[in-house]
Amino acid sequence: MMIFEAIDRYNTAWKTRNVELAIQDYSSYILWVNSVGDLMRTRKDLKKYLTYIFGLDFVMKNDRIPQVKEITFQSEKIAVVHSLHLESGAKNYHLRVFYKEGKAWKIINHITSREHPKTE
């Protein structure tokens, strides 16, 4: 399915530090927010931001292990996808909204949250 392939490309891009692959499935205008509150509104801004992030060895040293992908179609042109990956013992949740532009599904919203391991 094209939507799951887009998520797989994004995950591969993080492993290989390939910014072009990471942004390939985003629409021109987006709402992208990560777990620390960084906000990007365009694919161009996301490209600049991910170029910076992919250059940070302390961020990129962790393995990202995909766990779950679930999709709900809201209409013929809108799909909501929840995915999860594990990274350094923490769960990272992704909520993406895809919009069908012509024959292609493009990400228009992507919000992440991170669950940190709890200690007593």
Side-chain angles (χ1 to χ4, degrees), residues 19-119:
V19 174
E20 292 298 329
L21 186 62
I23 66 167
Q24 159 180 331
D25 295 294
Y26 286 86
S27 187
S28 296
Y29 295 96
I30 59 173
L31 174 68
W32 183 96
V33 183
N34 67 9
S35 61
V36 296
D38 295 320
L39 170 66
M40 304 301 129
R41 293 275 188 185
T42 67
R43 186 174 53 219
K44 181 180 176 183
D45 290 340
L46 182 58
K47 179 180 180 176
K48 182 178 176 182
Y49 180 75
L50 290 179
T51 298
Y52 167 73
I53 293 297
F54 288 0
L56 299 174
D57 289 335
F58 76 95
V59 173
M60 302 306 294
K61 72 177 181 172
N62 300 320
D63 286 333
R64 297 165 55 95
I65 305 166
Q67 299 292 308
V68 176
K69 291 183 277 197
E70 298 173 359
I71 188 168
T72 305
F73 287 94
Q74 303 297 313
S75 72
E76 291 179 7
K77 290 189 170 256
I78 298 174
V80 177
V81 180
H82 166 263
S83 62
L84 164 70
H85 73 266
L86 300 179
E87 182 179 338
S88 299
K91 293 179 181 176
N92 291 278
Y93 297 94
H94 296 259
L95 180 65
R96 294 175 179 93
V97 178
F98 284 78
Y99 181 77
K100 194 167 188 180
E101 295 178 0
K103 293 183 180 182
W105 286 94
K106 294 292 184 179
I107 302 165
I108 58 173
N109 293 317
H110 184 173
I111 299 172
T112 63
S113 63
R114 182 176 177 95
E115 177 185 284
H116 296 277
K118 311 292 189 276
T119 58

